[in-house]
Amino acid sequence: MQNKQNKKHLWFIVGITILNAIGMTIVLPLFPFLLERYVPNNQIAVTMSALVSIFAICQFFASPIFGALSDRFGRKPILLVSLLGSAVGYLLLGIGGALWVLFLGRIIDGLTAGNQSALFAYVADRTEPNERGKWYGYLGGAIGIGFMIGPAIGGLLGTNSITLPFYVTAVITFVSMICIFLFVPESLKVEKRSKQISLKSFNTFLHFKEIFSISNAKNLIIMGAFFYVGLGIWQFNASIFLKDVFKWGTSFIGGVFILVGICDILSRVIILPQMLKRWNEQTVGIIGLLGLVLGLCLLFVSAFISSVFFIIAAVVCIVLGEGLFDPSYNARLSMSVDESKQGLLQGANQSLQALYHVIVPLGAAAIYTYSHGAVFGIAALLMIIGLLLFIKLKE
C-alpha cells in the first residue's frame, strides 16, 4: 500500500514538472518582443543576454543554500517558496513599466530557483536506489513535454498581447504551488533531516566545499562538468549552425526542434526504463555517452560535408544519448550521499549547471566565430573525456 502511495505522489510530481516546464517555456519566444518596449533594436540581444545571465548567477548562489535548507526543513516548504518566487518574477515581467522591473523579476526568480533541486531530492527520498534512474527519466520526459507545448502556447498568446503570456505563466506557477500545498506530502522524514542550521548554511562556497569533500560525489560532479559543457555547446550553437551552414529558415529549424522533443521523450520515457531492466545505470550511461560522442562527431563532419542525413543522424544520436545518460547520471549522483544531504547535493549540481549556462555561451560563441565546425569538435572531445571518466567510476 505504501509503495502505491509513493508512486501516486511521484506521478503527481511528474505532472507538476510538466506544468512548471510549460509555464517556464511559454515566455521563451517572447523576450525579444518584450524588450522592444524598453531598449533600441541594436541593444535587444545584449539586454536579453544580461537577463539570462543575472538569473543564472542568482541561481548559482541560491541553489546550494535552498538545497541545504530542504535537508533541514523538508522538500515541501522549499518547493513552495521557490514556486512563489517564480510566480512573483513572472508577474513583474508582465507588469514591467521599466527595465529595472524586468531585472528585478529575474533576480527574484533566480534567488528562489530551488524547485528543480527540491524535485530531484523528493524523488530520491521516495524511491529505492535501483528505481531512481527510471523516475529521473520520467522527470526529464515531463520537462521535454513542457518544452514542446510551452513555446506554442506562448506564440499563440503573444499574438494578442506580449504581456499576457507572462501573466498566464505566473498563474500556472501559482496553481502548481497550490497543488503541492494541498496534495503533495513531505518526503523527508524528520529523523533523516540535517540537525542544525547556522549562518554558515547561507555561504554557497561552504556548501560546495562540503559536497566536494565526499569523494564519490566529487568525482561524479567533475565528470558531469564535461558532459554538461559539451552538451551546452551543442544546445547554444544548434540554431545558428543550421542557419549559417545549411541556410535553413525558421520552419526547417523548428522541425529539427520538434524532432529533438520527440527523441527526448522517447528516450527518457520508453527506451530508458526498458534498458534499466536489463542493465545498471553505469552501462546505460556509457551507451548514452557513446551516442553523444557519435552525434557531436557527425555535427563536426557536417560543417565540412553538407548532408541532411548527417544532421538528422546527429540530432537523433545526441538527444537519445542525453536521454539515456542524464537520468542514469543523476541516479548515480543521488546514491553518492545519504538522505540528509540529498538537497545539498542536488542544489550544488543545479548551481553548477547555472554557472555553465553563463560561461558556455560566451566561450562557444568565440570558438564558433573562429570556426563553425571546431566548436563541435571541442564538444566531442569534452564528451570523450567525460566518457573515459565515467567508465573509471566505480559502481
Side-chain angles (χ1 to χ4, degrees):
M1 183 67 181
Q2 184 65 32
N3 192 42
K4 286 185 178 179
Q5 283 289 97
N6 274 348
K7 284 192 174 179
K8 182 179 79 172
H9 296 142
L10 286 168
W11 281 118
F12 200 89
I13 287 294
V14 170
I16 293 294
T17 302
I18 293 175
L19 272 181
N20 286 348
I22 290 173
M24 183 172 64
T25 55
I26 280 176
V27 302
L28 286 181
L30 304 171
F31 272 111
F33 302 98
L34 179 68
L35 290 174
E36 282 180 342
R37 299 181 170 192
Y38 302 98
V39 297
N41 280 337
N42 62 350
Q43 294 181 22
I44 288 176
V46 174
T47 308
M48 188 170 170
S49 297
L51 282 172
V52 171
S53 296
I54 198 71
F55 174 87
I57 292 167
C58 290
Q59 187 182 19
F60 169 76
F61 284 103
S63 287
I65 296 170
F66 271 83
L69 289 174
S70 79
D71 288 333
R72 177 66 183 88
F73 299 108
R75 315 303 182 200
K76 188 170 178 175
I78 299 307
L79 279 170
L80 294 175
V81 170
S82 178
L83 289 170
L84 179 61
S86 292
V88 171
Y90 289 125
L91 190 62
L92 287 173
L93 289 174
I95 294 171
L99 190 59
W100 70 265
V101 177
L102 305 189
F103 276 93
L104 178 62
R106 297 309 285 158
I107 289 169
I108 292 172
D109 197 1
L111 288 176
T112 57
N115 59 332
Q116 190 166 341
S117 56
L119 286 170
F120 273 65
Y122 191 100
V123 170
D125 295 338
R126 287 277 178 176
T127 56
E128 297 297 325
N130 63 341
E131 288 189 320
R132 286 177 194 166
K134 177 179 71 176
W135 283 101
Y136 285 144
Y138 291 153
L139 280 187
I143 293 170
I145 291 170
F147 272 55
M148 290 181 69
I149 297 172
I153 295 175
L156 186 64
L157 293 174
T159 57
N160 297 314
S161 167
I162 292 300
T163 57
L164 177 61
F166 293 92
Y167 292 120
V168 170
T169 300
V171 170
I172 289 174
T173 307
F174 189 74
V175 168
S176 298
M177 187 182 74
I178 297 298
C179 289
I180 287 175
F181 179 76
L182 293 176
F183 305 117
V184 175
E186 178 54 57
S187 63
L188 186 62
K189 296 178 181 178
V190 174
E191 62 270 19
K192 291 184 177 180
R193 297 181 187 180
S194 57
K195 303 305 179 188
Q196 60 182 4
I197 201 81
S198 67
L199 286 176
K200 290 182 178 179
S201 302
F202 296 90
N203 187 326
T204 298
F205 297 103
L206 285 180
H207 292 311
F208 280 118
K209 183 179 178 181
E210 183 176 354
I211 284 298
F212 275 84
S213 69
I214 303 169
S215 178
N216 288 341
K218 179 185 72 173
N219 292 337
L220 279 163
I221 288 173
I222 290 171
M223 178 271 138
F226 289 95
F227 162 70
Y228 286 116
V229 172
L231 185 69
I233 289 173
W234 136 256
Q235 292 171 337
F236 179 75
N237 287 282
S239 296
I240 193 169
F241 178 76
L242 294 175
K243 173 182 173 292
D244 291 345
V245 175
F246 285 80
K247 310 301 180 185
W248 286 0
T250 54
S251 59
F252 278 97
I253 294 174
V256 169
F257 281 96
I258 291 173
L259 177 63
V260 167
I262 293 170
C263 289
D264 190 50
I265 295 167
L266 180 68
S267 63
R268 294 173 186 266
V269 178
I270 298 174
I271 298 175
L272 177 66
Q274 296 303 315
M275 292 184 73
L276 287 173
K277 289 179 181 179
R278 300 185 60 184
W279 299 299
N280 58 21
E281 279 89 359
Q282 174 85 352
T283 303
V284 174
I286 289 171
I287 294 170
L289 285 170
L290 287 170
L292 282 156
V293 170
L294 176 60
L296 290 168
C297 287
L298 285 171
L299 278 180
F300 173 74
V301 172
S302 70
F304 306 98
I305 304 173
S306 296
S307 169
V308 174
F309 169 78
F310 282 163
I311 287 294
I312 294 173
V315 169
V316 171
C317 287
I318 289 170
V319 180
L320 291 180
E322 179 196 356
L324 295 178
F325 175 75
D326 190 46
S328 304
Y329 170 78
N330 280 300
R332 289 284 307 279
L333 191 62
S334 72
M335 288 182 263
S336 66
V337 300
D338 60 31
E339 290 93 335
S340 66
K341 290 183 175 155
Q342 284 295 329
L344 175 60
L345 173 71
Q346 298 297 342
N349 190 36
Q350 294 302 319
S351 175
L352 288 171
Q353 289 187 46
L355 181 64
Y356 304 147
H357 288 159
V358 176
I359 295 171
V360 170
L362 297 174
I367 298 168
Y368 182 85
T369 303
Y370 173 75
S371 169
H372 297 343
V375 71
F376 295 115
I378 290 171
L381 181 61
L382 291 172
M383 207 65 73
I384 290 169
I385 295 171
L387 171 61
L388 294 175
L389 290 175
F390 192 71
I391 290 172
K392 287 180 65 178
L393 292 172
K394 296 179 180 178
E395 274 292 328

